[in-house]
Amino acid sequence: MCGIVGYIGYQLAKDIILDGLKKLEYRGYDSSGISIIFEKGKLETIRKVGKLKNLENELKNLNLNGNIGIGHTRWATHGKPSEINAHPHTDESGKLVIVHNGIIENYMSLKNELKSKYEFKSDTDTEVIAHLIMDNYKGDLYQAVKLALRRIEGTYALVVMHADNTDYIIATKNSSPLIIGLGENENFVASDIPAILNHTRDIIYLDDQDIAIVYKDKIDLFNKEGNKVSKNISKISWSISAAEKGGFEHFMLKEIYEQPFSITQSLAGRVSEVEGKIYIEDLNLKIEDLNNINRIVILACGTSYYAGIVGKYYLENILKIPTDVDYSSEFRYRNPVIDNKTLVIAISQSGETADTLAAIKLANSLGAKTLGILNVIGSAISRETIGNIYIHCGPEIGVASTKAFTSTLTCLYLFALYFAQEKKMINSDYIREKISNLKHVPKLIEKIFSPNSIKNIKNISNKLANFKDCLYLGRNYNYPIALEGALKLKEISYIHAEGYPAGEMKHGPIALIDKNTPVIAICTESSTYDKVFSNIKEVKARDALTITIATEGDLNLATEVDYIINVQKLVKRFHLL
Ligand code: GLU
């Protein structure tokens, strides 16, 4: 999910790769590494935790002159940030090196199969790929990669290099981005365009499961069927700063569009539709622990707090365990009632939120079982909790959280299912159905990004832009979503907004509703649909502009409200639960 740069040509590979990795630094990372073939049969690998500067300083002391190499900045998903876990990873001979972005879903079963033959040095999912390729290697690297890929399930951008081979490097991808940059007597591979814009603007986008053999003066490209193909060369006109944002106006927009992928990553390796089973690694809670829990407390701030309220509804609906959601900044300064039968869940994208860190320390001191739902492996909160569920949404640069919110919801839902599964409260058929629904979510989100839907949303935004106040309403699951919507509007548009449970509207806020206060009501098909519908009528009676988020095909609402934003129905029944 972070940075990859590969180079083959006539210049010093380490300079090109380091420069490329620097251009990807904006994405955030926890460690970095580089491998250079400095003479046929010989390569050197340097890996460092922390800033790229550490790698750069080490490289200064080495006379590493080679024209072929690969480099990586890591955003840990499996195994904490450490030198051993940093990429490139190598096979046992030390001659094959790989860099990888993404998640290998079946790495545990592959590791179990390969560990009797090869010594594993890291905790990463990535290392299995190195051993698997060498397990298939009979002198032809392309064939070995091709055979290895047949066994791999998951997402990857992968670059492979072998010390005995100074003619080419191999690049391939599945779901994670990877491009090839074309030069004069030199070629580049990168996970993102800014890494190579200083050298070339001619780019080939790889399709999923393409394998590219990248020579310095040509590219041989094979599609997933193994047929040789040729691809169009795209000319990139973006500046480096536009390229960083993938052509989007700002990072937040880019991250909004990343959600189908980030949710897929949150599910990766954790759901088996065939078995009807949820797997959550690193939880460190035994069945005795789970059976002992009689109360759950979720601690969080801001957007994570609202995700926590949705989590409460999931947990109470599925597990029937009373669940409270508390602001970390309140919890830490009170005398909260917590004991060893309480499970305390800290939610934080960065894993460094100061109030949540202090709150989880307090929960620990009171004897609670503690769990983190976090994005950053090895972060401060992850070191305090008994177990952690990583949301795997990749680096979030936008200050206002978007993709981390939906990935957190995904993980909270998975956790509720997992907990119920371990306690044998639900059977595999039930879980299978939920998994099938979950896997469908990314496709439905994509529909919201269709040109017509975006045009409609832009039009509504233009209408809203000149108002000073705005009210968001929702009930049940859509109540915390209304709170999150209001928070986003405040943070991003500087328009005052309040989120309310729609049923509370008549107990105060109604006094403020008039033609100057637009109301955004979330009124999707659900058990509270009729109730929200009535609230919308009350709003209309006060001449407020009404904008409704509705289930596609809802003709009743369409005639009632001023504007509609449609979302797709996931299942025929009312809700995900
Ligand atoms: N899953 C790999 C790891 O944890 C790749 C991480 C990345 O995408 O940066 O090492």
Side-chain angles (χ1 to χ4, degrees):
M1 281 179 243
C2 237
I4 286 181
V5 184
Y7 177 76
I8 180 161
Y10 59 90
Q11 306 191 55
L12 279 184
K14 67 169 183 193
D15 291 348
I16 306 272
I17 292 168
L18 205 58
D19 177 64
L21 292 178
K22 280 185 191 165
K23 298 285 180 310
L24 302 181
E25 256 189 310
Y26 72 94
R27 298 172 55 86
Y29 58 97
D30 51 60
S31 49
S32 60
I34 193 166
S35 288
I36 304 287
I37 301 178
F38 56 92
E39 129 187 9
K40 197 165 178 140
K42 293 193 179 142
L43 60 77
E44 178 83 44
T45 298
I46 319 283
R47 300 181 291 182
K48 287 280 163 211
V49 176
K51 288 284 154 217
L52 213 45
K53 198 92 202 130
N54 302 342
L55 185 71
E56 190 174 15
N57 288 341
E58 178 95 10
L59 282 170
K60 272 189 200 138
N61 304 329
L62 294 170
N63 201 12
L64 206 53
N65 297 333
N67 312 119
I68 164 168
I70 56 179
H72 189 255
T73 43
R74 178 174 187 239
W75 176 274
T77 66
H78 291 62
K80 63 180 189 332
S82 66
E83 213 162 291
I84 290 287
N85 288 334
H87 302 211
H89 285 282
T90 172
D91 75 316
E92 233 175 32
S93 74
K95 286 193 164 185
L96 175 111
V97 276
I98 63 169
V99 286
H100 162 231
N101 282 351
I103 293 175
I104 303 305
E105 293 186 26
N106 58 338
Y107 85 101
M108 268 319 280
S109 64
L110 290 171
K111 190 166 176 172
N112 286 337
E113 179 187 320
L114 293 164
K115 72 180 176 204
S116 57
K117 284 193 188 166
Y118 307 106
E119 190 201 340
F120 278 77
K121 298 197 183 85
S122 77
D123 307 315
T124 63
D125 49 340
T126 299
E127 196 184 350
V128 296
I129 313 176
H131 295 303
L132 196 61
I133 295 174
M134 279 319 271
D135 206 52
N136 287 287
Y137 184 67
K138 297 193 177 61
D140 181 340
L141 193 56
Y142 164 71
Q143 282 302 333
V145 171
K146 190 167 126 184
L147 291 173
L149 290 184
R150 288 195 189 148
R151 305 279 324 275
I152 288 173
E153 287 162 27
T155 55
Y156 52 81
L158 184 68
V159 187
V160 185
M161 176 174 95
H162 195 292
D164 288 343
N165 183 352
T166 48
D167 292 337
Y168 60 80
I169 55 180
I170 289 191
T172 179
K173 70 164 285 254
N174 191 40
S175 290
S176 299
L178 197 65
I179 52 160
I180 295 176
L182 305 172
E184 264 314 295
N185 223 17
E186 60 180 351
N187 285 315
F188 310 82
V189 180
S191 54
D192 207 355
I193 293 170
I196 54 178
L197 273 190
N198 274 346
H199 309 285
T200 179
R201 291 186 167 267
D202 293 337
I203 276 160
I204 294 178
Y205 290 95
L206 293 183
D207 284 317
D208 280 351
Q209 292 170 47
D210 281 349
I211 302 181
I213 307 182
V214 182
Y215 299 83
K216 66 178 179 183
D217 51 2
K218 67 166 178 167
I219 314 286
D220 283 344
L221 202 56
F222 299 89
N223 65 13
K224 65 175 167 206
E225 284 81 33
N227 300 325
K228 200 160 177 186
V229 288
S230 62
K231 287 231 151 91
N232 289 341
I233 299 170
S234 309
K235 263 248 178 283
I236 303 296
S237 53
W238 295 334
S239 64
I240 288 198
S241 103
E244 282 180 349
K245 299 179 202 95
F248 289 99
E249 270 173 61
H250 44 76
F251 283 113
M252 188 176 151
L253 196 56
K254 175 171 179 269
E255 286 160 6
I256 287 171
Y257 275 82
E258 277 170 6
Q259 286 173 103
F261 178 65
S262 52
I263 290 177
T264 306
Q265 293 286 93
S266 309
L267 295 173
R270 292 173 169 159
V271 291
S272 165
E273 209 171 335
V274 181
E275 295 167 85
K277 202 163 175 195
I278 310 283
Y279 293 90
I280 300 186
E281 67 287 353
D282 294 335
L283 211 52
N284 299 329
L285 291 171
K286 294 194 278 301
I287 183 66
E288 303 85 81
D289 298 322
L290 297 178
N291 281 334
N292 206 27
I293 287 161
N294 63 10
R295 182 174 167 232
I296 300 173
V297 173
I298 298 176
L299 300 176
C301 305
T303 290
S304 299
Y305 177 84
Y306 299 139
I309 303 178
V310 181
K312 166 188 162 77
Y313 293 6
Y314 289 152
L315 292 160
E316 289 190 339
N317 272 319
I318 300 176
L319 283 171
K320 317 287 176 220
I321 296 182
T323 303
D324 298 319
V325 190
D326 212 337
Y327 286 112
S328 310
S329 54
E330 285 297 312
F331 180 93
R332 66 178 286 201
Y333 295 117
R334 283 207 318 269
N335 290 317
V337 182
I338 296 287
D339 61 22
N340 63 1
K341 292 193 166 153
T342 312
L343 173 68
V344 176
I345 304 177
I347 305 180
S348 163
Q349 186 280 128
S350 65
E352 304 285 341
T353 314
D355 282 324
T356 307
L357 179 61
I360 206 76
K361 284 185 180 169
L362 175 59
N364 273 335
S365 72
L366 296 170
K369 301 270 177 297
T370 51
L371 181 68
I373 298 193
L374 315 167
N375 196 23
V376 181
I377 294 194
S379 52
I381 294 174
S382 78
R383 299 196 295 273
E384 295 295 328
T385 48
I386 296 174
N388 293 295
I389 304 175
Y390 293 104
I391 62 173
H392 292 330
C393 75
E396 190 173 61
I397 299 172
V399 175
S401 178
T402 54
K403 63 176 181 172
F405 179 69
T406 44
S407 278
T408 301
L409 297 187
T410 309
C411 289
L412 280 161
Y413 186 59
L414 281 180
F415 176 62
L417 287 179
Y418 175 83
F419 201 150
Q421 160 190 292
E422 296 304 291
K423 287 184 74 173
K424 307 220 173 349
M425 295 171 73
I426 50 178
N427 64 24
S428 55
D429 286 341
Y430 178 95
I431 300 171
R432 190 170 295 117
E433 188 196 327
K434 303 305 169 206
I435 293 175
S436 145
N437 290 345
L438 274 170
K439 283 186 163 173
H440 213 59
V441 171
K443 294 189 197 89
L444 299 188
I445 294 181
E446 253 153 31
K447 296 202 174 169
I448 297 173
F449 303 144
S450 73
N452 275 344
S453 161
I454 293 297
K455 197 169 151 208
N456 177 43
I457 292 171
K458 279 191 175 164
N459 176 39
I460 296 171
S461 310
N462 282 331
K463 298 276 182 299
L464 276 180
N466 294 324
F467 284 94
K468 298 247 174 320
D469 304 285
C470 187
L471 189 66
Y472 281 70
L473 299 175
R475 287 179 188 245
N476 201 347
Y477 285 99
N478 288 333
Y479 154 54
I481 303 301
L483 296 178
E484 171 61 6
L487 179 70
K488 282 287 158 292
L489 196 72
K490 281 183 237 193
E491 228 179 334
I492 299 305
S493 316
Y494 307 118
I495 295 173
H496 166 248
E498 295 294 335
Y500 255 89
E504 284 296 298
M505 186 182 85
K506 58 180 171 293
H507 300 293
I510 198 157
L512 297 173
I513 299 176
D514 60 16
K515 62 178 184 355
N516 297 318
T517 311
V519 174
I520 301 180
I522 312 173
C523 189
T524 47
E525 259 191 40
S526 75
S527 53
T528 54
Y529 174 87
D530 292 339
K531 295 272 177 202
V532 183
F533 198 101
S534 307
N535 295 130
I536 291 171
K537 283 199 161 268
E538 287 172 77
V539 166
K540 276 278 13 145
R542 281 158 183 80
D543 288 336
L545 192 75
T546 47
I547 296 134
T548 303
I549 307 205
T551 308
E552 190 167 66
D554 186 335
L555 301 177
N556 287 340
L557 267 176
T559 52
E560 200 64 42
V561 301
D562 298 306
Y563 298 101
I564 276 206
I565 296 173
N566 282 320
V567 292
Q568 308 285 315
K569 188 154 59 172
L570 181 64
V571 274
K572 288 212 174 57
R573 281 164 300 107
F574 271 149
H575 228 284
L576 199 65
L577 285 175

